Amino acid sequence: MRKKVHHIEYRNESKEELLPDFSPDFPYISSCAELDQCLEGFIPWHWHKEVELFYMESGSLEYYTPGGVLVFPAGSGGLINSNVLHMTKIHEKGRPVAQLLHIFDPSLVGGRQGSRIEQKYVAPIVTSSQLEAIPLSPDVPEHGPVLEALRRSFQISDSEYAYEIRLRSALSAIWSDLLPLAEPMLREKAGHDKANDQIKAMMIYIHEHFSEKLPVARIAASAYISERECYRVFHDCLHTTPAEYLRSYRLQTACHLLAESQESLTFIAHACGLGNSSNFGKIFKEQMDCTPSEYRRKWQDRDMHGQE
């Protein structure tokens, strides 16, 4: 059953994306991300070891990775590789956006670790630091059959007989079609993984200490680098500054507390490291174009009327 997704949660121990209903005996989930229904209007920076294979059913999305920005309109799709930092947001506001996703452990296609299939066809992809994404466009003739197979794969119902076999077969066929598209990227010079490890360490530290006063020196120290290097890594990987990322994460947390709790604005302001309620209101208004109280009414009234 395809789950509708309006926000993401993080694993406590690593701050990777938490994937609900992800079962070790069949490491796969299907979801439909409706970004126009997201609390913040975007899916923030995150990563997961699982591979993300998606098809744009409607609307248009921007995908941000350390390598840059890709735009995916309706009818396009692609693959986001294992452990790649990425963020998505709506390309054109005011329009419904529906993104269909297969999120699965590479072992679903490759089989047990060390198998011939895993070594020849899966490991070269998922261990490649230079391959962040494989975009698929309907305007490129050789992408057409892959996109059609991807679109059809979402029609396989979990109520069908031998659903798991049919789904794994479909994903394996798509994977084999992606291999020749990946080859030019695999031949490119590999980037260094050090910055990737550093930015993840600093993101985890921010997620754990965002309610505290958090100078750049402390953030940099969590990755054992200088402040100057900290600024460079944030710029190169997330295209932002440490302070801007910290503020964004604090506001994301505040949004969820406003929408999903009855805590006072003063409590939320302090819990999110945004100072007193007056300062919180000013920052929130600047970023969200509404007051915290208006935001709370909008989303809680929406839930009361049974909308997801």
Side-chain angles (χ1 to χ4, degrees):
M1 182 178 294
R2 191 176 304 136
K3 180 175 182 177
K4 291 185 178 181
V5 174
H6 299 153
H7 69 277
I8 68 170
E9 298 175 358
Y10 297 96
R11 293 186 176 120
N12 288 332
E13 67 277 9
S14 67
K15 305 304 176 183
E16 297 174 43
E17 182 184 357
L18 178 66
L19 301 174
D21 306 319
F22 202 79
S23 174
D25 62 355
F26 192 69
Y28 165 87
I29 55 173
S30 177
S31 61
C32 176
E34 299 177 326
L35 266 77
D36 55 306
Q37 304 296 318
C38 288
L39 295 179
E40 305 89 353
F42 66 96
I43 299 295
W45 287 100
H46 65 285
W47 72 93
H48 39 76
K49 68 180 181 189
E50 295 78 15
V51 171
E52 184 173 308
L53 192 60
F54 66 91
Y55 180 81
M56 293 302 302
E57 189 174 54
S58 63
S60 185
L61 276 186
E62 297 174 6
Y63 255 89
Y64 292 75
T65 69
V69 185
L70 293 168
V71 178
F72 293 92
S76 66
L79 176 140
I80 301 298
N81 207 357
S82 173
N83 285 315
V84 169
L85 273 166
H86 56 288
M87 176 184 81
T88 54
K89 70 177 183 179
I90 297 171
H91 184 58
E92 296 178 284
K93 291 185 178 180
R95 295 188 178 185
V97 177
Q99 178 194 28
L100 306 180
L101 296 111
H102 296 303
I103 300 179
F104 57 96
D105 191 283
S107 65
L108 193 65
V109 171
R112 66 176 178 82
Q113 188 173 8
S115 71
R116 184 182 301 180
I117 292 175
E118 192 263 349
Q119 290 185 66
K120 289 183 68 175
Y121 307 113
V122 176
I125 300 290
V126 300
T127 61
S128 171
S129 61
Q130 68 267 38
L131 200 162
E132 294 181 337
I134 303 176
L136 299 170
S137 170
D139 297 328
V140 180
E142 56 264 38
H143 292 182
V146 191
L147 281 167
E148 178 58 21
L150 181 55
R151 185 188 67 81
R152 289 199 309 268
S153 69
F154 288 101
Q155 297 173 355
I156 302 172
S157 171
D158 59 1
S159 63
E160 295 179 29
Y161 177 72
Y163 156 73
E164 293 85 355
I165 294 176
R166 286 165 52 81
L167 178 64
R168 185 173 64 176
S169 176
L171 293 176
S172 297
I174 293 168
W175 191 274
S176 68
D177 289 339
L178 290 174
L179 291 173
L181 302 179
E183 282 182 5
M185 303 178 206
L186 295 176
R187 288 195 293 267
E188 294 176 5
K189 185 177 180 180
H192 202 287
D193 286 337
K194 190 174 182 181
N196 190 51
D197 293 338
Q198 290 168 340
I199 193 65
K200 287 177 179 176
M202 290 187 286
M203 288 171 67
I204 289 170
Y205 189 81
I206 288 172
H207 296 176
E208 291 175 341
H209 299 276
F210 69 95
S211 63
E212 307 167 16
K213 287 186 178 179
L214 209 53
V216 174
R218 276 183 63 188
I219 297 172
S222 70
Y224 305 101
I225 58 177
S226 67
E227 290 185 49
R228 182 176 179 180
E229 183 70 0
C230 173
Y231 279 105
R232 187 194 67 78
V233 171
F234 267 89
H235 177 269
D236 291 351
C237 293
L238 303 189
H239 321 297
T240 189
T241 68
E244 287 169 346
Y245 180 82
L246 173 60
R247 183 175 63 176
S248 176
Y249 187 77
R250 284 169 167 169
L251 285 169
Q252 292 162 30
T253 306
C255 284
H256 287 295
L257 287 172
L258 288 167
E260 298 170 6
S261 79
Q262 298 300 325
E263 298 289 356
S264 69
L265 298 188
T266 299
F267 174 88
I268 293 174
H270 287 294
C272 296
L274 292 167
N276 57 37
S277 57
S278 176
N279 185 60
F280 172 41
K282 180 181 178 182
I283 295 172
F284 197 92
K285 176 87 173 182
E286 289 174 353
Q287 296 297 313
M288 307 301 294
D289 294 324
C290 65
T291 68
S293 297
E294 289 168 344
Y295 184 93
R296 167 169 273 171
R297 283 195 297 271
K298 173 185 174 182
W299 289 99
Q300 294 196 348
D301 287 351
R302 191 169 170 272
D303 290 341
M304 287 175 62
H305 287 88
Q307 298 178 29
E308 296 192 8

